[in-house]
Amino acid sequence: MRTYRIAAIPGDGIGREVIDAGIEVLAAVTERDRGFKLAVTHFDWGSERYKRTGAMMPADGLDRLRGMDAIYFGSAGSPDVPDHITLWGLRLAICQPFDQYANVRPTRILPGIKSPLAGVTAQDLDWVIVRENSEGEYSGNGGRVHKGLPDEIATETSIFTRAGVQRIMRFAFRLARTRPRKLLTVVTKSNAQRHGMVLWDEIAAEVAGEFPDVAWDKMLVDAMTVRMTMKPASLDTIVATNLHADILSDLASALAGSIGVAPTANLNPERAYPSMFEPIHGSAFDIMGKGIANPVGTFWSGVMMLEHLGEKDAAARLMRAIERVTADPRLHTPDLGGSARTADVTNAVCEAVRADNF
Ligand code: IPM
Ligand code: MG
């Protein structure tokens, strides 16, 4: 029987609550399936460790992750540690050296969940956002001089490389090709940003030539927010830069009902390094420890992890279980307007996995 090695990094805030819940439903899936096992190793990396030792993860952290088949990540962030330290100390400290350049963010209106957009149904809003995850505005390239003085200067220089844009564009076209609509929208801001974004436009047109069976169009990021809101059914697969896609994916998850259900895969498609799966929502300190965090984003990220591992049947079974549970408003957490608790949703999904007879 195949055993996959999974690194669980719950991190901070509600990350710990939702990753515990995620491990529980994945255990229910493996018990039901019996075709494979998950060997989970827990890592207590995060802000608590930073406050104790001065580092979010140990110096040999990447070596300890290298041999894993996948990473299941909660969130990083703490009210008493600056956000750029927690981000660069853990999440980006894993994503960047492991070259997880393709960040995939599916957005759908799950059964039982309502979009805030009047009259918009599940058929109208079914998107996958592909976020460039290794360069662009998150390159970390810049600096500050004359700190604290009136003439202080800070630079934050985006980096766009031909190789980096080409590989994410090919990834996005390939993904669009697997979807029924075969439609890719390339988002830039090439009217105002006349270097890097124009490179994106040029490479999009070149790569499109390799995919004659995929229809594609272009949008400026500001106009894209309007199209997502006013004409959601006109979109399918979307590719954008690191920062643009970060912003658009928050909008997307809100339009689909709640950021609490939104999943992410940080993929190294070549599989030279482990890929990482996490809910989009972050550490949410306002609700930490209350037992009311929505675990669905973490469960759905678990589905993406199973797909990546090649366990398609198990992934489909978990997704069916999630959708059976979201369909029941009594099992909605407060972010969805309900009063269910994390444990209620987790137990219900485990139960639905056991009852699934496909
Ligand atoms: C996301 C998050 C992160 C990001 C934060 C937590 C730094 O917003 O995954 O979308 O901006 O990448
Ligand atoms: Mg974000």
Side-chain angles (χ1 to χ4, degrees):
M1 191 190 311
R2 185 85 212 258
T3 300
Y4 302 103
R5 284 152 306 166
I6 307 297
I9 309 178
D12 300 329
I14 61 168
R16 299 193 223 168
E17 299 161 53
V18 293
I19 288 295
D20 278 352
I23 301 286
E24 223 179 297
V25 305
L26 287 170
V29 170
T30 53
E31 266 161 43
R32 171 72 181 71
D33 243 77
R34 295 176 184 278
F36 66 98
K37 277 190 191 157
L38 300 176
V40 181
T41 310
H42 291 263
F43 295 94
D44 66 343
W45 304 345
S47 299
E48 287 311 315
R49 192 181 185 287
Y50 175 81
K51 284 186 261 178
R52 237 176 28 241
T53 69
M56 297 283 287
M57 64 190 243
D60 67 346
L62 290 176
D63 289 331
R64 291 163 68 179
L65 297 178
R66 213 176 291 278
M68 298 285 172
D69 293 302
I71 304 165
Y72 203 28
F73 187 87
S75 68
S78 169
D80 48 0
V81 183
D83 285 337
H84 64 276
I85 290 184
T86 51
L87 177 65
W88 283 93
L90 193 58
R91 189 168 164 274
L92 291 182
I94 297 171
C95 285
Q96 298 218 349
F98 282 173
D99 210 15
Q100 296 166 348
Y101 65 83
N103 183 290
V104 181
R105 304 188 157 193
T107 310
R108 284 194 286 124
I109 303 176
L110 297 181
I113 295 181
K114 272 202 183 63
S115 167
L117 297 174
V120 168
T121 64
Q123 286 71 43
D124 302 325
L125 198 163
D126 180 357
W127 305 331
V128 183
I129 297 180
V130 176
R131 172 180 181 184
E132 200 296 316
N133 211 34
S134 68
E135 53 177 38
E137 309 86 345
Y138 280 54
S139 300
N141 178 43
R144 289 171 68 172
V145 289
H146 310 314
K147 267 201 178 174
L149 297 177
D151 62 351
E152 179 168 358
I153 298 167
T155 59
E156 189 81 47
T157 309
S158 301
I159 305 260
F160 301 100
T161 66
R162 177 167 287 276
V165 181
Q166 243 166 12
R167 67 182 184 174
I168 198 65
M169 208 57 82
R170 289 205 172 103
F171 180 91
F173 270 99
R174 243 178 256 131
L175 179 66
R177 177 185 262 167
T178 65
R179 296 187 32 100
R181 307 258 310 270
K182 295 195 193 334
L183 168 66
L184 178 68
T185 299
V186 178
V187 178
T188 66
K189 184 67 187 174
S190 54
N191 53 350
Q193 296 180 301
R194 58 193 178 147
H195 308 295
M197 296 288 78
V198 174
L199 179 69
W200 264 68
D201 280 354
E202 288 172 11
I203 292 175
E206 287 166 24
V207 172
E210 302 168 17
F211 296 86
D213 54 329
V214 177
W216 73 288
D217 58 17
K218 286 195 298 188
M219 287 301 291
L220 297 173
V221 66
D222 48 349
M224 183 65 171
T225 61
V226 178
R227 180 162 162 198
M228 287 167 70
T229 312
M230 307 303 283
K231 290 188 174 169
S234 74
L235 293 163
D236 186 80
T237 310
I238 296 158
V239 64
T241 69
N242 215 328
L243 180 63
H244 290 165
D246 173 42
I247 298 165
L248 294 179
S249 59
D250 264 30
L251 174 62
S253 66
L255 296 178
S258 169
I259 196 164
V261 304
T264 302
N266 298 282
L267 299 178
N268 173 254
E270 290 73 28
R271 295 172 188 260
Y273 304 96
S275 294
M276 182 157 85
F277 302 83
E278 58 169 343
I280 289 187
H281 52 61
S283 39
F285 276 91
D286 50 331
I287 58 164
M288 172 181 139
K290 295 190 177 158
I292 56 167
N294 192 338
V296 168
T298 303
F299 298 163
W300 193 349
S301 303
V303 171
M304 298 181 84
M305 182 163 82
L306 292 171
E307 279 166 359
H308 180 75
L309 294 172
E311 298 298 339
K312 302 265 183 284
D313 292 347
R317 186 188 315 286
L318 178 52
M319 198 66 218
R320 279 194 299 274
I322 293 169
E323 295 190 20
R324 204 160 301 161
V325 168
T326 61
D328 182 351
R330 288 169 306 178
L331 291 167
H332 286 183
T333 42
D335 56 301
L336 291 170
S339 56
R341 305 181 57 78
T342 312
D344 302 327
V345 183
T346 307
N347 293 338
V349 171
C350 289
E351 209 37 63
V353 165
R354 288 182 202 116
D356 184 79
N357 40 29
F358 279 94

